[in-house]
Amino acid sequence: MSITLDLPDHSSLDIAAFSRIFENTTNSYKYLFFLSLLDILARNQFQPHLNITFKDLVVEILANAWFPHTYFKLSFGIQDQIAKKLDSLNLVITEPILQFRDSDKKLLRKTINDQTYNDLVKFLSAYVPFRLIRPFFEQETRGLKDAQVNQTVLNLANNCKENNRSFYYFNSETESNCHGIILSSKWIDYIANNFSVIKGWSSWEWLKYMQTKNPTTPNLANKLFMPQKRGSLSSPTRLWRLVLEKSPIRCLYSGKLLDPEHLSLDHYLPWSFVAHDQPWNLIPILPEVNSSKSNNLPSETYFQGFVDLQYQVLKISHENLNNHAWSKATESYILDLNLNNEDLLDKQKLFEAYEEIDRKSTRLNSSHEFVS
């Protein structure tokens, strides 16, 4: 079943046209434009007749694109101008942004707003706002020359603003003077009443598009939006301290013996690659090593030692935890490594499961290597 069928119906709004706004889309612009529009609407508490400038939309678009492009290194497409603009900006990214404590992208938007981005405003406003709502005027615009489409859509949207035919209209009567859109009141009510469904639908469409541009990227769904605040590592830390009490362990990178009271948990595959804090990717290391390891993939020379450590934590925790506690501690191993309980204690099968993950990560990031 198509995801568009899940949009709630409305007696006087053209939901069928609304569900087609992403049809015939070959780049990222419509998705980011609409998702950013939703964010601005929600932040303004679905204010009636909200006037949104193209400049405000571009700042929001760049903020929404920053995490998937700059932090997670995702591709929006070879010719994508949003990605190119982000690469050209001299952004000062502060710790709250990197640690996902930037509520509602406030600091990130302010940082972007201080930059020069008029070229992207001009580029996006020359196409996206008009073509996004073209499905609402499909019959009237069929067969038009490309140069005629924008002004025709603008005229139709503005002439129909009283009957809410499209979910927005324009703040000028001419394309050359247009610098923003105004949301129709009835459509604002519809979006507000069904916000989670509409946000989920548009996010799903965005994911489908990005899968075509990043077909081998793992955990893609968790890399499209600013992640939530990072979770606690207290449970895996307690587990490794239990292991250290039973057996001495050396830091994978420095070779020094670890102290249960003086250790950090390290993401063997960087967090920006996997976008999670699952125990199967965590190992204890010295805190000073963790601070210098950066955000790159480790050298292949550490791979066998990493698997040995994982086998050690599984074996020792199995010997010292009750069945319920051990099952809970190993859930992510079973799900993400596609192993069963017996396989987790088979060193060869564990090695082969990690080897498959390692092959994927090396293929995708062959140019990034960490050397201690």
Side-chain angles (χ1 to χ4, degrees):
M1 179 180 290
S2 170
I3 193 73
T4 57
L5 296 179
D6 292 334
L7 287 174
D9 202 3
H10 192 283
S11 59
S12 60
L13 299 178
D14 191 351
I15 306 305
F18 186 63
S19 72
R20 296 196 303 274
I21 61 175
F22 299 126
E23 284 187 354
N24 304 314
T25 302
T26 58
N27 52 54
S28 69
Y29 309 139
K30 288 182 181 178
Y31 302 105
L32 286 167
F33 186 96
F34 183 75
L35 287 164
S36 299
L37 183 61
L38 291 181
D39 287 350
I40 293 173
L41 269 176
R43 190 162 57 246
N44 286 274
Q45 300 181 323
F46 305 98
Q47 177 184 327
H49 304 290
L50 184 63
N51 188 339
I52 303 175
T53 68
F54 294 147
K55 283 191 173 184
D56 287 342
L57 275 162
V58 165
V59 170
E60 196 79 27
I61 286 169
L62 289 170
N64 278 328
W66 188 86
F67 278 96
H69 174 67
T70 309
Y71 194 89
F72 293 119
K73 312 301 181 186
L74 299 184
S75 171
F76 295 167
I78 296 174
Q79 300 299 323
D80 194 277
Q81 296 301 312
I82 293 173
K84 290 180 179 179
K85 186 61 185 178
L86 280 170
D87 290 338
S88 73
L89 296 179
N90 184 25
L91 299 179
V92 179
I93 303 302
T94 58
E95 196 67 17
I97 297 172
L98 290 174
Q99 294 299 321
F100 319 126
R101 299 194 303 270
D102 181 18
S103 178
D104 194 29
K105 308 182 297 291
K106 185 176 181 180
L107 291 177
L108 185 55
R109 284 187 286 109
K110 184 180 185 303
T111 300
I112 292 169
N113 197 47
D114 292 337
Q115 300 283 312
T116 300
Y117 47 84
N118 288 336
D119 54 337
L120 187 60
V121 174
K122 183 178 180 180
F123 175 81
L124 289 181
S125 62
Y127 177 85
V128 181
F130 307 99
R131 309 309 170 97
L132 184 70
I133 60 172
R134 188 174 180 178
F136 291 95
F137 311 106
E138 193 169 4
Q139 292 184 350
E140 295 94 329
T141 60
R142 184 178 291 121
L144 287 180
K145 293 180 179 179
D146 192 68
Q148 299 174 309
V149 172
N150 286 4
Q151 187 63 53
T152 302
V153 169
L154 184 151
N155 293 339
L156 290 165
N158 285 4
N159 291 338
C160 297
K161 62 185 178 183
E162 298 301 327
N163 63 15
N164 298 288
R165 184 173 174 184
S166 170
F167 66 97
Y168 62 74
Y169 51 96
F170 299 90
N171 63 4
S172 174
E173 297 302 320
T174 60
E175 179 188 351
S176 59
N177 291 325
C178 185
H179 56 79
I181 59 176
I182 301 170
L183 278 292
S184 300
S185 58
K186 190 170 287 188
W187 276 101
I188 287 181
D189 290 340
Y190 172 79
I191 293 171
N193 292 333
N194 302 284
F195 186 75
S196 60
V197 175
I198 294 169
K199 184 68 179 284
W201 163 72
S202 53
S203 298
W204 171 252
E205 295 293 329
W206 176 223
L207 172 61
K208 289 196 297 182
Y209 168 78
M210 289 294 280
Q211 283 175 332
T212 68
K213 303 302 178 185
N214 306 270
T216 60
T217 298
N219 207 11
L220 181 63
N222 288 334
K223 298 178 179 180
L224 296 183
F225 303 96
M226 184 179 75
Q228 299 300 309
K229 186 177 179 180
R230 296 276 287 275
S232 169
L233 298 180
S234 57
S235 292
T237 299
R238 285 197 299 270
L239 188 64
W240 276 107
R241 282 176 176 159
L242 168 67
V243 173
L244 285 166
E245 290 171 1
K246 303 296 181 181
S247 175
I249 290 179
R250 293 185 179 275
C251 171
L252 179 64
Y253 304 119
S254 69
K256 296 179 180 179
L257 281 173
L258 292 171
D259 180 347
E261 302 304 319
H262 183 67
L263 58 83
S264 289
L265 289 192
D266 171 60
H267 293 76
Y268 181 76
L269 297 177
W271 194 94
S272 61
F273 180 82
V274 296
H276 64 62
D277 297 312
Q278 297 292 12
W280 65 262
N281 187 47
L282 298 172
I283 54 170
I285 64 174
L286 292 176
E288 52 268 31
V289 173
N290 199 20
S291 64
S292 65
K293 181 175 176 290
S294 187
N295 202 30
N296 299 321
L297 283 169
S299 166
E300 283 294 306
T301 59
Y302 297 112
F303 178 69
Q304 181 65 61
F306 165 69
V307 178
D308 289 342
L309 283 172
Q310 290 294 344
Y311 177 73
Q312 197 166 359
V313 73
L314 289 167
K315 184 174 181 294
I316 292 177
S317 61
H318 181 260
E319 293 170 351
N320 290 275
L321 298 176
N322 61 43
N323 289 338
H324 175 74
W326 193 73
S327 296
K328 187 174 181 180
T330 57
E331 280 179 345
S332 76
Y333 290 86
I334 292 171
L335 291 174
D336 294 348
L337 302 182
N338 295 314
L339 298 174
N340 58 38
N341 283 311
E342 292 182 359
D343 292 340
L344 294 181
L345 301 174
D346 185 323
K347 194 171 185 178
Q348 182 59 34
K349 290 183 177 179
L350 185 68
F351 179 86
E352 290 171 357
Y354 273 113
E355 197 172 36
E356 179 61 26
I357 291 177
D358 186 62
R359 274 196 294 267
K360 292 178 181 177
S361 63
T362 302
R363 185 168 63 249
L364 291 172
N365 296 270
S366 58
S367 63
H368 300 283
E369 184 175 274
F370 162 64
V371 179
S372 68

